[in-house]
Amino acid sequence: MACGGCSTGSGGSSEGGCSSGGCNKLNVFDWLANMELPSGQAPFNIVEVRFKNSRKEFFRNTNNLQLLQGNIVTVEGATGFDVGVVSVAGEVARLQLKKKKMEENDPEIKNILRKSSPNDIERWKEVQELEKKIIVRARVLASSMKLEMKINDVEIQADKSQASFYYTAPGRVDFRELIRAYSSEFRLRIQMWQIGERQEAGRLGGIGSCGRELCCSTWLTDFRSVSTSAARYQQLALNPVKLAGQCGKLKCCLNYELDSYIDALKDFPQTVDLESQKGKAVHQKTDIFKRVIWYTYLDAPENFIPLSVERVKQIVEMNKNGKKPEQIEDLKQEMMKEKEVGYVVGVGTKKNTNRRRRD
């Protein structure tokens, strides 16, 4: 049977859910699935249910149904019933509940009514097709009213009683007239939810410049602020086109290795020009993790000279005391250029040590 949550309609299990979890955004691996509960302990009666895109909610399994990840269930909705896919069940659901800082006896947790019948699944698929038509018309209506907002997504409840529209906008929007137009046009109870650009990218998904699915739509839930200083620490060119993600903001992955770079740069000297009897040397580039700083003489800019952090500190201290070394490199640096770094002395081009021999 095809997966009820995939746009492709393929890759489904016998229950109609996604057997591979590939369509499940912000998926959680059930690492406690094969662990047996102590004798006498009842299974945790709250499960996490995924709806369209990344929206997930907790529901109470009051009927003691045998639920597994990927099962399609009919649950209590805001005004009637809704249909979703079980994303987490068992003890992992208990941990997820604690992570969301929710209590097990929270009265706002609604109930699971039943495992979805073929009729429920058929209505659910009809709603998914209806959403594609409504989103186009909704954007036309918003545009005709000259509202500064972008309708990103719409989610209709499985019983066709309510529609939730998600939009982004630079500021507050008076959409009272728009809601009346939507209610009259679609004959549904309307809800409007404003989200940020990062949340928009997480809901809609996509492929990043790295060739993988967006982090915000697959696993990332904590949207920390990203500043241009993160790029500076990592010696990246401040090119807004390359540093921005699909949401238009700076890429979240700029923060992933930032702490390692800050740690490595703690004992680096300030990148200043060096004075020697041979001439003035200017800084060109820095290899942070190899702890190598590259300089060139003003009269020979094509010759890159690699210096260790310790050597640069030594020359900086000498310059402060009014002294100049005969040359910035020393015997140890000459050996490093030839052996450790693998650069041709006086040229600054890397040797290709992996080139295959041709017979």
Side-chain angles (χ1 to χ4, degrees):
M1 185 176 180
C3 172
C6 287
S7 58
T8 58
S10 60
S13 65
S14 58
E15 294 287 340
C18 188
S19 59
S20 63
C23 70
N24 192 355
K25 295 181 181 178
L26 303 180
N27 195 12
V28 177
F29 177 69
D30 191 354
W31 53 280
L32 295 175
N34 297 323
M35 294 186 65
E36 294 184 3
L37 294 172
S39 57
Q41 180 175 333
F44 190 56
N45 72 332
I46 296 177
V47 299
E48 185 186 73
V49 178
R50 174 180 62 85
F51 298 94
K52 186 178 182 182
N53 287 323
S54 56
R55 184 172 75 89
K56 294 182 179 182
E57 293 182 16
F58 293 98
F59 292 88
R60 207 178 303 277
N61 184 11
T62 53
N63 296 325
N64 297 321
L65 302 171
Q66 293 293 327
L67 297 177
L68 299 173
Q69 187 176 13
N71 289 158
I72 300 179
V73 290
T74 302
V75 301
E76 293 179 351
T79 56
F81 70 87
D82 204 353
V83 175
V85 181
V86 176
S87 56
V88 172
E91 292 303 306
V92 174
R94 190 195 301 271
L95 297 176
Q96 287 292 100
L97 196 71
K98 187 179 294 185
K99 180 182 176 182
K100 301 288 185 181
K101 297 181 180 180
M102 295 178 62
E103 299 293 334
E104 296 180 19
N105 56 357
D106 191 336
E108 293 187 2
I109 299 178
K110 299 182 176 65
N111 298 323
I112 294 177
L113 301 177
R114 58 186 177 273
K115 280 189 176 182
S116 297
S117 64
N119 185 44
D120 291 336
I121 295 174
E122 189 63 33
R123 294 186 65 177
W124 184 39
K125 290 182 177 179
E126 289 176 6
V127 164
Q128 291 174 349
E129 292 299 320
L130 182 62
E131 288 171 349
K132 298 175 184 177
K133 300 176 182 178
I134 284 183
I135 188 67
V136 175
R137 181 59 181 160
R139 288 169 177 165
V140 170
L141 290 173
S143 178
S144 65
M145 295 183 182
K146 309 295 183 183
L147 296 176
E148 292 187 13
M149 62 188 301
K150 176 186 175 185
I151 305 296
N152 309 123
D153 195 17
V154 60
E155 183 178 356
I156 303 176
Q157 201 165 279
D159 61 356
K160 297 182 182 178
S161 63
Q162 177 177 287
S164 298
F165 290 88
Y166 297 87
Y167 71 95
T168 53
R172 294 192 62 180
V173 180
D174 185 2
F175 46 70
R176 288 174 293 182
E177 188 65 32
L178 182 65
I179 289 180
R180 285 192 284 269
Y182 283 176
S183 298
S184 175
E185 180 85 14
F186 307 130
R187 303 295 179 183
L188 295 168
R189 182 171 176 263
I190 305 298
Q191 284 189 330
M192 303 292 292
W193 299 95
Q194 184 172 3
I195 58 177
E197 286 81 359
R198 295 185 191 275
Q199 286 77 14
E200 175 193 4
R203 283 189 63 84
L204 302 182
I207 304 297
S209 57
C210 59
R212 304 188 66 175
E213 290 184 77
L214 299 180
C215 297
C216 54
S217 67
T218 51
W219 64 272
L220 186 64
T221 57
D222 183 15
F223 296 104
R224 298 181 182 179
S225 60
V226 186
S227 64
T228 53
S229 62
R232 290 193 184 97
Y233 275 118
Q234 298 172 64
Q235 313 290 313
L236 299 174
L238 297 180
N239 186 338
V241 175
K242 292 186 177 180
L243 295 181
Q246 293 192 5
C247 58
K249 305 290 186 179
L250 290 175
K251 293 179 181 177
C252 295
C253 54
L254 290 174
N255 279 341
Y256 295 169
E257 298 177 354
L258 180 58
D259 291 342
S260 299
Y261 278 90
I262 293 175
D263 234 10
L265 285 168
K266 280 181 179 177
D267 63 338
F268 270 60
Q270 280 190 325
T271 51
V272 296
D273 297 341
L274 304 180
E275 297 284 350
S276 71
Q277 297 178 19
K278 192 175 178 181
K280 187 176 182 180
V282 295
H283 171 259
Q284 294 293 346
K285 63 178 183 177
T286 301
D287 192 325
I288 296 173
F289 293 110
K290 286 185 178 179
R291 296 177 61 80
V292 176
I293 305 176
W294 297 82
Y295 282 85
T296 59
Y297 287 113
L298 286 176
D299 58 352
E302 73 280 359
N303 296 335
F304 279 58
I305 303 170
L307 301 177
S308 67
V309 172
E310 290 71 23
R311 177 61 175 167
V312 173
K313 285 182 178 179
Q314 182 186 12
I315 298 174
V316 169
E317 190 63 32
M318 291 176 68
N319 291 163
K320 283 182 180 179
N321 296 328
K323 299 178 181 179
K324 296 181 181 180
E326 292 186 9
Q327 56 183 13
I328 58 174
E329 64 266 48
D330 57 13
L331 180 62
K332 182 180 178 181
Q333 298 305 318
E334 292 290 342
M335 295 173 61
M336 182 183 70
K337 282 194 292 185
E338 294 182 359
K339 295 182 179 179
E340 295 182 11
V341 181
Y343 279 70
V344 177
V345 179
V347 177
T349 55
K350 193 171 183 180
K351 293 179 181 178
N352 187 355
T353 55
N354 297 323
R355 188 175 295 167
R356 294 182 179 178
R357 292 183 59 188
R358 295 184 178 178
D359 299 328

